[in-house]
PDB file of all heavy atoms in Angstrom:
ATOM      1  N   LEU A 257      30.221  45.029 -37.196  1.00  0.00           N
ATOM      2  CA  LEU A 257      29.739  46.288 -37.888  1.00  0.00           C
ATOM      3  C   LEU A 257      31.004  46.920 -38.629  1.00  0.00           C
ATOM      4  O   LEU A 257      30.875  47.342 -39.741  1.00  0.00           O
ATOM      5  CB  LEU A 257      29.292  47.240 -36.849  1.00  0.00           C
ATOM      6  CG  LEU A 257      28.971  48.687 -37.253  1.00  0.00           C
ATOM      7  CD1 LEU A 257      27.862  48.672 -38.244  1.00  0.00           C
ATOM      8  CD2 LEU A 257      28.689  49.570 -36.066  1.00  0.00           C
ATOM      9  N   PHE A 258      32.129  46.919 -37.970  1.00  0.00           N
ATOM     10  CA  PHE A 258      33.333  47.467 -38.638  1.00  0.00           C
ATOM     11  C   PHE A 258      33.699  46.606 -39.804  1.00  0.00           C
ATOM     12  O   PHE A 258      34.035  47.183 -40.883  1.00  0.00           O
ATOM     13  CB  PHE A 258      34.513  47.489 -37.627  1.00  0.00           C
ATOM     14  CG  PHE A 258      34.643  48.870 -36.952  1.00  0.00           C
ATOM     15  CD1 PHE A 258      33.821  49.221 -35.878  1.00  0.00           C
ATOM     16  CD2 PHE A 258      35.538  49.735 -37.460  1.00  0.00           C
ATOM     17  CE1 PHE A 258      33.985  50.445 -35.194  1.00  0.00           C
ATOM     18  CE2 PHE A 258      35.648  51.033 -36.818  1.00  0.00           C
ATOM     19  CZ  PHE A 258      34.892  51.342 -35.720  1.00  0.00           C
ATOM     20  N   GLU A 259      33.662  45.318 -39.674  1.00  0.00           N
ATOM     21  CA  GLU A 259      34.033  44.475 -40.804  1.00  0.00           C
ATOM     22  C   GLU A 259      33.059  44.648 -42.004  1.00  0.00           C
ATOM     23  O   GLU A 259      33.468  44.706 -43.144  1.00  0.00           O
ATOM     24  CB  GLU A 259      33.966  42.953 -40.406  1.00  0.00           C
ATOM     25  CG  GLU A 259      34.429  42.029 -41.401  1.00  0.00           C
ATOM     26  CD  GLU A 259      35.909  42.207 -41.821  1.00  0.00           C
ATOM     27  OE1 GLU A 259      36.681  42.697 -40.942  1.00  0.00           O
ATOM     28  OE2 GLU A 259      36.203  41.800 -42.901  1.00  0.00           O
ATOM     29  N   SER A 260      31.759  44.723 -41.710  1.00  0.00           N
ATOM     30  CA  SER A 260      30.772  44.862 -42.751  1.00  0.00           C
ATOM     31  C   SER A 260      30.880  46.264 -43.410  1.00  0.00           C
ATOM     32  O   SER A 260      30.816  46.323 -44.582  1.00  0.00           O
ATOM     33  CB  SER A 260      29.315  44.772 -42.167  1.00  0.00           C
ATOM     34  OG  SER A 260      29.104  43.528 -41.544  1.00  0.00           O
ATOM     35  N   THR A 261      31.207  47.302 -42.628  1.00  0.00           N
ATOM     36  CA  THR A 261      31.310  48.590 -43.287  1.00  0.00           C
ATOM     37  C   THR A 261      32.588  48.543 -44.084  1.00  0.00           C
ATOM     38  O   THR A 261      32.615  49.201 -45.180  1.00  0.00           O
ATOM     39  CB  THR A 261      31.517  49.607 -42.115  1.00  0.00           C
ATOM     40  OG1 THR A 261      30.378  49.540 -41.262  1.00  0.00           O
ATOM     41  CG2 THR A 261      31.579  51.037 -42.688  1.00  0.00           C
ATOM     42  N   LYS A 262      33.659  47.909 -43.667  1.00  0.00           N
ATOM     43  CA  LYS A 262      34.894  47.894 -44.429  1.00  0.00           C
ATOM     44  C   LYS A 262      34.625  47.131 -45.797  1.00  0.00           C
ATOM     45  O   LYS A 262      35.093  47.602 -46.863  1.00  0.00           O
ATOM     46  CB  LYS A 262      35.923  47.152 -43.641  1.00  0.00           C
ATOM     47  CG  LYS A 262      37.407  47.188 -44.311  1.00  0.00           C
ATOM     48  CD  LYS A 262      38.405  46.579 -43.405  1.00  0.00           C
ATOM     49  CE  LYS A 262      39.758  46.597 -44.098  1.00  0.00           C
ATOM     50  NZ  LYS A 262      40.794  45.958 -43.298  1.00  0.00           N
ATOM     51  N   ILE A 263      33.848  46.055 -45.694  1.00  0.00           N
ATOM     52  CA  ILE A 263      33.570  45.334 -46.942  1.00  0.00           C
ATOM     53  C   ILE A 263      32.765  46.241 -47.902  1.00  0.00           C
ATOM     54  O   ILE A 263      33.018  46.248 -49.051  1.00  0.00           O
ATOM     55  CB  ILE A 263      32.752  44.042 -46.615  1.00  0.00           C
ATOM     56  CG1 ILE A 263      33.707  43.041 -45.907  1.00  0.00           C
ATOM     57  CG2 ILE A 263      32.238  43.428 -47.843  1.00  0.00           C
ATOM     58  CD1 ILE A 263      32.960  41.808 -45.344  1.00  0.00           C
ATOM     59  N   TYR A 264      31.816  46.931 -47.255  1.00  0.00           N
ATOM     60  CA  TYR A 264      30.946  47.816 -48.131  1.00  0.00           C
ATOM     61  C   TYR A 264      31.858  48.943 -48.825  1.00  0.00           C
ATOM     62  O   TYR A 264      31.603  49.213 -49.984  1.00  0.00           O
ATOM     63  CB  TYR A 264      29.919  48.466 -47.219  1.00  0.00           C
ATOM     64  CG  TYR A 264      28.974  49.422 -47.919  1.00  0.00           C
ATOM     65  CD1 TYR A 264      28.396  49.098 -49.102  1.00  0.00           C
ATOM     66  CD2 TYR A 264      28.592  50.648 -47.408  1.00  0.00           C
ATOM     67  CE1 TYR A 264      27.543  49.927 -49.815  1.00  0.00           C
ATOM     68  CE2 TYR A 264      27.722  51.515 -47.993  1.00  0.00           C
ATOM     69  CZ  TYR A 264      27.126  51.141 -49.250  1.00  0.00           C
ATOM     70  OH  TYR A 264      26.296  51.915 -49.817  1.00  0.00           O
ATOM     71  N   ILE A 265      32.755  49.477 -48.051  1.00  0.00           N
ATOM     72  CA  ILE A 265      33.626  50.494 -48.633  1.00  0.00           C
ATOM     73  C   ILE A 265      34.488  49.914 -49.738  1.00  0.00           C
ATOM     74  O   ILE A 265      34.674  50.486 -50.816  1.00  0.00           O
ATOM     75  CB  ILE A 265      34.492  51.173 -47.561  1.00  0.00           C
ATOM     76  CG1 ILE A 265      33.616  51.976 -46.568  1.00  0.00           C
ATOM     77  CG2 ILE A 265      35.598  52.027 -48.105  1.00  0.00           C
ATOM     78  CD1 ILE A 265      34.321  52.500 -45.380  1.00  0.00           C
ATOM     79  N   VAL A 266      35.000  48.689 -49.520  1.00  0.00           N
ATOM     80  CA  VAL A 266      35.816  48.038 -50.535  1.00  0.00           C
ATOM     81  C   VAL A 266      34.992  47.719 -51.783  1.00  0.00           C
ATOM     82  O   VAL A 266      35.456  47.941 -52.977  1.00  0.00           O
ATOM     83  CB  VAL A 266      36.414  46.737 -49.989  1.00  0.00           C
ATOM     84  CG1 VAL A 266      37.114  45.874 -51.118  1.00  0.00           C
ATOM     85  CG2 VAL A 266      37.438  47.015 -48.871  1.00  0.00           C
ATOM     86  N   ARG A 267      33.769  47.312 -51.546  1.00  0.00           N
ATOM     87  CA  ARG A 267      32.817  47.057 -52.730  1.00  0.00           C
ATOM     88  C   ARG A 267      32.573  48.352 -53.475  1.00  0.00           C
ATOM     89  O   ARG A 267      32.519  48.367 -54.735  1.00  0.00           O
ATOM     90  CB  ARG A 267      31.453  46.498 -52.193  1.00  0.00           C
ATOM     91  CG  ARG A 267      31.622  45.066 -51.635  1.00  0.00           C
ATOM     92  CD  ARG A 267      31.537  44.067 -52.826  1.00  0.00           C
ATOM     93  NE  ARG A 267      31.401  42.695 -52.253  1.00  0.00           N
ATOM     94  CZ  ARG A 267      30.230  42.112 -52.067  1.00  0.00           C
ATOM     95  NH1 ARG A 267      29.145  42.710 -52.348  1.00  0.00           N
ATOM     96  NH2 ARG A 267      30.171  40.897 -51.605  1.00  0.00           N
ATOM     97  N   LEU A 268      32.396  49.488 -52.754  1.00  0.00           N
ATOM     98  CA  LEU A 268      32.176  50.801 -53.464  1.00  0.00           C
ATOM     99  C   LEU A 268      33.384  51.145 -54.231  1.00  0.00           C
ATOM    100  O   LEU A 268      33.166  51.603 -55.385  1.00  0.00           O
ATOM    101  CB  LEU A 268      31.808  51.856 -52.362  1.00  0.00           C
ATOM    102  CG  LEU A 268      30.400  51.836 -51.775  1.00  0.00           C
ATOM    103  CD1 LEU A 268      30.316  52.773 -50.550  1.00  0.00           C
ATOM    104  CD2 LEU A 268      29.385  52.229 -52.744  1.00  0.00           C
TER     105      LEU A 268
END
Side-chain angles (χ1 to χ4, degrees):
L257 176 62
F258 266 80
E259 183 65 25
S260 301
T261 306
K262 186 176 179 181
I263 292 173
Y264 182 43
I265 292 173
V266 171
R267 290 277 189 93
L268 285 167

